[in-house]
Each structure stands twice: as C-alpha cells, then as structure tokens.
Amino acid sequence: MPDLEAYVLNTGRVGGNGEDSKKVTIADSSAIVQGIVEGTIEWETDPDFGYDVASSVPGVDDPDLLNPAGMYRRQGRGSEHQVMVERLHNERREYLAGFEQLHPSVVAGV
C-alpha cells in the first residue's frame, strides 16, 4: 500500500453562516499550508469522523477554527453540531451505497 497523505483545507467559514460563525482568513490558510509543508502541525483523531484533524497550527491563534465541535458546544449549539454530524454520516452512507461493487465494510465504516 502506498504511503500517501491528503489534506482538506477549509477556506470559508467555520460554524455555519451566521453571526456565531468565524471566517477562515487567508493568513490562517497560509499558516496551515506552511504547517503542512514544514511538518509543524499537531494532529488528533476527530471523534465524529475518525480522521486526523489539526489540534495546533503555528500561526493559527483562534482555537475555534481548529475545533468547530468545541466552538458549537461553547456557544450552546452542541445539539446543532450533532444533527449536522448525523446528517453528514447519513449522506455519505447513502452515496456510497450506490456503488454496488464497494465492499460493505467501507459503507459500514462511515
């Protein structure tokens, strides 16, 4: 199996579109890309989706940008976050179910 790393970078907003959300700035995005290149990002496993997410990035000073679930909880919107997580899991399962040749364990892993 090849040793392959892939990254997804949010360049929009964290926490929805309302006044409680936060903008990911160009400076934040640049710091994240720099951290990827330099290997200076600290990672942890996301409890909702199971993949690695940044827990600390030099140059990103707002922890809410790296921990949206914590931001939702801190704002009293934890149930809103949980509904979103369940919706995303369901959407992904439905999408993957359309691939008949896909091993069932892949769908079950979502």
Side-chain angles (χ1 to χ4, degrees):
M1 181 150 262
D3 184 19
L4 176 69
E5 293 181 359
Y7 301 88
V8 176
L9 175 61
N10 181 344
T11 59
R13 300 191 74 78
V14 173
N17 293 316
E19 62 186 40
D20 292 330
S21 69
K22 295 190 176 187
K23 173 87 174 106
V24 179
T25 67
I26 293 172
D28 295 322
S29 296
S30 296
I32 293 167
V33 171
Q34 184 174 353
I36 290 169
V37 171
E38 294 177 350
T40 56
I41 296 176
E42 293 180 25
W43 302 93
E44 65 185 17
T45 303
D46 182 272
D48 295 313
F49 297 101
Y51 42 70
D52 288 344
V53 295
S55 59
S56 175
V57 178
V60 177
D61 299 324
D62 187 343
D64 287 344
L65 298 180
L66 303 177
N67 184 4
M71 181 180 76
Y72 274 87
R73 284 190 302 274
R74 187 180 50 71
Q75 294 174 345
R77 300 167 52 208
S79 61
E80 180 183 340
H81 181 264
Q82 193 56 44
V83 166
M84 178 181 57
V85 167
E86 291 302 318
R87 178 182 52 81
L88 289 171
H89 278 291
N90 289 333
E91 288 174 0
R92 290 172 183 177
R93 277 191 287 272
E94 288 174 19
Y95 176 76
L96 291 173
F99 296 91
E100 296 177 9
Q101 300 299 321
L102 193 61
H103 194 277
S105 66
V106 174
V107 178
V110 176

